[in-house]
Amino acid sequence: MSAVLPALGPIFLIILLGALLKRGLMPHLGLANGFWDAAERLTYFVLFPAMLLTRTATASIGELQVVPMAAALTAPILLMIGGLLVMRERIPIDTPGFTSILQGTIRPNIYVALAAAGGLYGAAGNTLVAIAIGVVVPFVNVLCVVLLTRLIGVADPGWRTLAKALASNPIILSVCAGLALNALGLGLPPVIGPTLDIIGRAALPLGLLCVGAGLHFGALKAGRTGIVLASVLKLLGLPLLASLACLSFGVEGVTAQVTILFSAAPAAASSYILARQLGGDHQLMAGILTVQVIAAAATLPLIVTTLL
């Protein structure tokens, strides 16, 4: 625990700072209300892709257990979805709310996951999370769109639209580009590489500030049952399943530790956007996201000290 708190504590202090900036300090700093939307877009489209590209292009991937790790990441997600669908009739919540629980159970917050893995495991943690992002992000994006459209009954966007959305996702593109450069042995050019590295260093602090700014404390009244259920399943249930999956697929060492840590991260803020677009309960989704980020300050150290 003495090593865990120094590694994870700064993450949640930065998130807290983001919440304070959004709710009280911005007028004193001369920041406009539109600052956070611009900051989120800058992080998502420029800073974070630059960071992921540099990490994957220059990493030593040959010795990593990539395929078993991918299986250990995706199998618990499928098990969690299957369990929720089986138990759906026993959960006292409507269909839009149920889809928000689904999203809140399987979608990872990549900013928190990368910051935690980097703080605990350094460059190896960053590389493994970048690979996990390349596996899990497209996987859960497709699953969530299909599940929401089928359960809620809105128009199915079709596979072409899904493929186009994935092919234009800057996070996925940056990981794929980095892995391609790595596989070809090209790495990064002398000038472009250091430039991208400098740009990427701003991704995590700004991304974590945006996580804090995105907390919606007023949404905590949206539905206690759904918030508690999604939070327990995501922060405790999914990493436990990931731990069992690592044993089943022979994933060991730092790879297993990062796999479990990635599964233990709170849900992604993009879940709120998809809930609004496809008819989910976005107020409940906001409440789930808020509680999970707050609760993760306690559950992440617990997972690290008990399962890793």
Side-chain angles (χ1 to χ4, degrees), residues 60-85:
S60 299
I61 297 177
E63 299 179 358
L64 299 179
Q65 304 166 295
V66 176
V67 175
M69 179 186 184
L73 285 165
T74 54
I77 292 172
L78 292 174
L79 287 173
M80 194 64 75
I81 292 173
L84 281 170
L85 291 174

Side-chain angles (χ1 to χ4, degrees), residues 52-69 123-124 126-132 135 174-185 255:
L52 293 174
L53 179 60
T54 56
R55 295 292 187 274
T56 51
T58 58
S60 299
I61 297 177
E63 299 179 358
L64 299 179
Q65 304 166 295
V66 176
V67 175
M69 179 186 184
N126 287 332
T127 299
L128 287 164
V129 169
I131 294 171
V135 171
S174 61
V175 172
C176 291
L179 291 175
L181 290 171
N182 193 304
L184 295 171
T255 306

